[in-house]
Amino acid sequence: MNKKLTPADLFLGILALLLISVSFYQTWLGLQQIFGPASFVIALVLSLLLLFLCWMLRNAKLEGKPTGSLVGIYIFIASFCFIANFNALYTRFMKTDIYTDELRDINKNFTTLENDVESKLSYKYNKLTTQNIEIKKKQLMEQIKDPGNKGIGTRAQSLIRDIEKLTGQKVDLLTPVGSDYEDLSERMGHQIDNMISDLSPDERALKTDLNNSALKWNKNIQDLLLLSKKEKDEMSQGLIDESLADYNKLGSRAQTVLGNEKIHFEPAVSQTQQVGKIGFAFEHAIKNFGMYQFVVLAGCILLDFVIVIIILLVTSPGGYNRNNGGSVFSNKRSGKTIIPNN
């Protein structure tokens, strides 16, 4: 049997080498979470097996032999590569979005906890009035710290008058210690809290700490979300861990101060600790399936399975016997030429 290298052989060989080389690299990255340094060797072995099976499949098809068992073995081995590839590509492609979602959820958690605690505290005024006073108080505190108009200026005085109307009480105009307007803002806030609440010292301290933490983490998270993709990926996990630790600490403290009958708190756990793990990649993709997830899925299928489909489609069965090369691109027609007699 005369086997010659044809353009189709060269094309399929280069295509298989390129696709499986990329698959090898992604498989290596995707398996590191499980196998560590050994993932390089495992990925290399899997990729070499895929290349060998591609060659075996083409030969079997050219010789007219059954290819079902070879295809089954290929799919079995390629499935491991597919899983690892999906993990690596999805983690790289969606990592920033996963971090961003987690950070926004933390902001929501702080707001929810803050509102929950507020609703369980005792105040001298009805709920609507208390909420309006709280809004004005926060605006006043921010206004006092405003770099462009620090202290109790025109806008701050207007907010104080609004608070006085809502409470029916006189607000004392405190003065800063030196140029410490941060301290002045806090003292004005405490004064207003004392005017509207019937809180114990522990409840008052909890409310203050919770409000300060909510403002702090909201600002830190918003600042981080404005950074570049690379910076977000590098810094997000640290911020998530710190903010969640503070959130869980305050939530547990709220449950202790207010009592289990008033508030039930479940500690939050960071989901981003699972980023890079195979199970998390598939779970997150299924729950949030959309265009991005589809693109990653299609890319993994392209890397691991398209080459064997192409080989099966373009290779003519028994091609060695028919055209000495087995290429569907080099078939020549043969037959008798009929010349009519004039």
Side-chain angles (χ1 to χ4, degrees), residues 146-157:
D146 182 12
N149 187 23
K150 290 183 177 180
I152 303 178
T154 304
R155 173 59 180 159
Q157 291 177 13

Side-chain angles (χ1 to χ4, degrees), residues 152 172-178 180-181 183-184 187-188:
I152 303 178
D172 294 331
L173 300 182
L174 306 179
T175 56
V177 178
D180 191 351
Y181 291 97
D183 172 69
L184 175 61
R187 287 189 288 122
M188 288 295 294

Side-chain angles (χ1 to χ4, degrees), residues 197-210:
S197 64
D198 291 322
L199 304 180
S200 68
D202 286 342
E203 289 175 333
R204 188 175 293 112
L206 171 65
K207 181 177 182 295
T208 300
D209 291 345
L210 184 53

Side-chain angles (χ1 to χ4, degrees), residues 7-20:
D9 293 324
L10 188 61
F11 168 76
L12 291 173
I14 293 173
L15 183 62
L17 190 60
L18 289 174
L19 289 173
I20 294 178

